[in-house]
Amino acid sequence: MRTSTLIPIGRFSSRSGLSIKALRLYAEAGLLVPARVDAANGYRYYSATQLPRAERIRQLRALGIGYAQLPPLLELGADALAREIRRHVGDHAQAERKLGWIAQAYLAQLQKEQYPMFNPITVRHSPALVVASVTRHVDIAGLDTAIRDGLSVLQGYGCPGQDVPFGVYHGPVNSEQRGPIEICVPARPGSLPTGDVVLRELPACRLVTIDVRDEQARFPAILSAYEAVCDWIDEKRQTRAGPPREYWLNTSSEQPVMQVCWPITVESQEAP
């Protein structure tokens, strides 16, 4: 298999949600072996066909399933795996309250009842913008609390009429990785930084955007939105202009409404 058709380990890490350290551990254990290792420099490459296996590993680890239990589960069909997950959740639901909704989302995915990304992808211009922000390092369990606390700190900094808050994900946030996430609001004129609040300007860009709501906006279903945007950028041969963003149009835990966005350069043109 040619290296040009493979995915370098760093990009595979971003797309799979598994850290580079975790990928190396899974390779050593024989659970997710790179499709090619460069004999000259030892650099590892993966195939796009390995992403579903990586996703299964990530989901099973998020459910608290240990390394020793993974090998047989990775070989099961969807129905058999769903039965094993239900049994595991039944054993652990009392101890880990969050296990329930993580399991239900993955069971729906296994049964192909997950919320599909039929939402249209749009591209919009984002002018240069001064934001007030705070940065937090959190895993997925602490993300909602970190966002609420961050927005509380930023109260009074928002610019009227441009008050939609958003997050900039400078690194993956999942059960193994802790971001960081930068929580932002467009800053009103004359704002002065205090405490851990930072003022900075985001350059003009175009934002590749997909709207998600309700169950689509919850983890891990929202990862499908990021994947859809990422695939669109690759297919159109666009140039990324920074880390992805999440605009929080409605932060209600019952009916969340968000926009998943990825900046691309202003100068690039959409491929036909």
Side-chain angles (χ1 to χ4, degrees), residues 44 71 77 80 101 122 215 220 259:
R44 304 176 185 213
W101 61 263
T122 59
E215 295 302 327
Q259 287 183 335

Side-chain angles (χ1 to χ4, degrees), residues 3 5 31 35 51 71-72 75 89 92 138 144 151 156 158 164 171 213 223 234 253 259 261 263 266:
T3 301
T5 65
L31 298 176
L51 283 168
E75 309 307 323
V89 171
H92 294 82
V138 293
D144 289 345
L151 293 178
V164 176
R213 61 175 59 244
L223 295 177
D234 290 344
S253 59
Q259 287 183 335
C261 305
V266 173

Side-chain angles (χ1 to χ4, degrees), residues 101 105 115 117 140 143-144 212-226 246 251-258 260:
W101 61 263
Y115 299 88
M117 284 293 129
I140 191 62
L143 181 59
D144 289 345
V212 291
R213 61 175 59 244
D214 301 330
E215 295 302 327
Q216 290 179 332
R218 295 187 173 92
F219 183 88
I222 196 170
L223 295 177
S224 297
Y226 282 93
E246 222 172 65
T251 56
S252 163
S253 59
E254 289 77 23
Q255 294 181 310
V257 181
M258 301 181 188
V260 170

Side-chain angles (χ1 to χ4, degrees), residues 14 166-172 180-182 207-208 225-226 229-230 233 240-247 259-263:
S14 296
F166 60 96
V168 180
Y169 286 88
H170 295 281
I181 176 177
E182 183 181 11
L207 290 174
V208 182
Y226 282 93
V229 171
C230 188
I233 292 172
R240 290 174 177 80
R245 306 177 190 176
E246 222 172 65
Y247 284 80
Q259 287 183 335
V260 170
C261 305
W262 209 304

